[in-house]
């Protein structure tokens, strides 16, 4: 395994950071609030992921963290832009932007569990971890497809919503209510995965415990 990223990887990382700062700039021009704070926090995912990609290009964990940072950045920006468009009267555009952001949330939530299960070198260390990763991935995929038919509400219950672009409001609301409890299982899977990693940390040496600490810092 090489320790140096190739030029194509470097260009892709540069593009990722350009998208991050461009989105951050858009946020600043539209709204200064919790979304900006959350976006700044997503920089931690991106920073730690970038370091791993550059130092260990073959480690898929680095790209997962980069995807999480960039993915949440784009998702939250879509939420803000949907609100802006809705306020300006462009309800159709707002609905589609919100729906895209809504659909992307399930895979991004699932990646939290994937980080714990694949730490530190991008491979699962037990049969149980491998099965949990695989079957939870199938579950997240099915739930993601179902989310495409739910009322677009990117940041969860209580957050502003937009009208669904191609379904009746009553139907999309009913689908949203049915999906919400199922989303909770994704968070539970993440907690189980984190518990498995803590168990590993207790049996590992000081170097791996420090590595776990850095990744935990990014996630927190």
């Amino acid at each position: 395994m090489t320790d140096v990223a190739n030029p194509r990887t470097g260009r892709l990382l540069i593009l990722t950071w350009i998208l991050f700062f461009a989105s951050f700039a858009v946020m600043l021009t539209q709204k200064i609030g919790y979304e900006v704070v959350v976006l700044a926090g997503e920089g931690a995912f991106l920073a730690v992921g970038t370091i791993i990609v550059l130092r260990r290009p073959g480690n898929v964990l680095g790209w997962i963290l980069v995807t999480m940072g960039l993915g949440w950045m784009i998702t939250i920006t879509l939420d803000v832009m949907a609100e802006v468009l809705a306020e300006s009267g462009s309800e159709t555009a707002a609905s589609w932007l919100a729906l895209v952001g809504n659909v992307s949330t399930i895979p991004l939530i699932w990646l939290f569990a994937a980080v714990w299960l694949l730490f530190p070198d991008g491979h699962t260390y037990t049969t149980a971890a491998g099965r949990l990763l695989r079957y939870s991935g199938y579950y997240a995929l099915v739930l993601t497809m179902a989310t495409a038919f739910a009322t677009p509400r990117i940041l969860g219950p209580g957050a502003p919503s937009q009208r669904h672009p191609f379904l009746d409001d009553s139907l999309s609301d009913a689908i949203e209510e049915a999906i919400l409890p199922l989303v909770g299982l994704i968070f539970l899977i993440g907690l189980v995965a984190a518990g498995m990693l803590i168990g590993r940390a207790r049996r590992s040496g000081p170097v791996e415990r420090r590595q776990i600490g850095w990744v935990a810092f990014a996630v927190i």
Side-chain angles (χ1 to χ4, degrees), residues 102-144:
N102 205 43
V103 169
S104 69
T105 57
I106 300 300
L108 290 171
I109 293 171
W110 174 76
L111 284 178
F112 279 101
V115 167
W116 301 132
L117 294 171
L118 294 171
F119 185 87
D121 59 2
H123 298 89
T124 54
Y125 273 69
T126 65
T127 301
R131 289 176 178 171
L132 182 60
L133 180 68
R134 182 169 60 256
Y135 291 121
S136 65
Y138 295 151
Y139 179 78
L141 177 60
V142 172
L143 198 56
T144 297

Side-chain angles (χ1 to χ4, degrees), residues 10 24 34 36 42 66 84-85 91 95 114 133 137 143 147 157 163 174 177 179 181 193 196 203 205 209 215:
F24 197 87
Y34 72 93
V36 175
E42 298 310 326
V66 168
V84 172
L85 288 171
E91 294 186 1
S95 297
L133 180 68
L143 198 56
T147 304
R163 298 191 63 177
E177 291 180 7
I179 286 176
M196 295 172 70
R203 299 188 299 271
R209 282 198 295 270
V215 174

Side-chain angles (χ1 to χ4, degrees), residues 27-68:
M27 292 280 291
L28 289 177
T29 63
Q30 300 297 337
K31 180 178 294 188
I32 299 177
Y34 72 93
E35 293 95 342
V36 175
V37 176
V38 172
L39 271 181
E42 298 310 326
F45 286 115
L46 203 51
V48 175
T50 297
I51 293 172
I52 295 174
V53 169
L54 292 176
R55 297 294 301 273
R56 295 289 186 270
N59 188 342
V60 69
L61 187 63
W63 284 115
I64 290 177
L65 290 171
V66 168
T67 300
M68 291 173 71

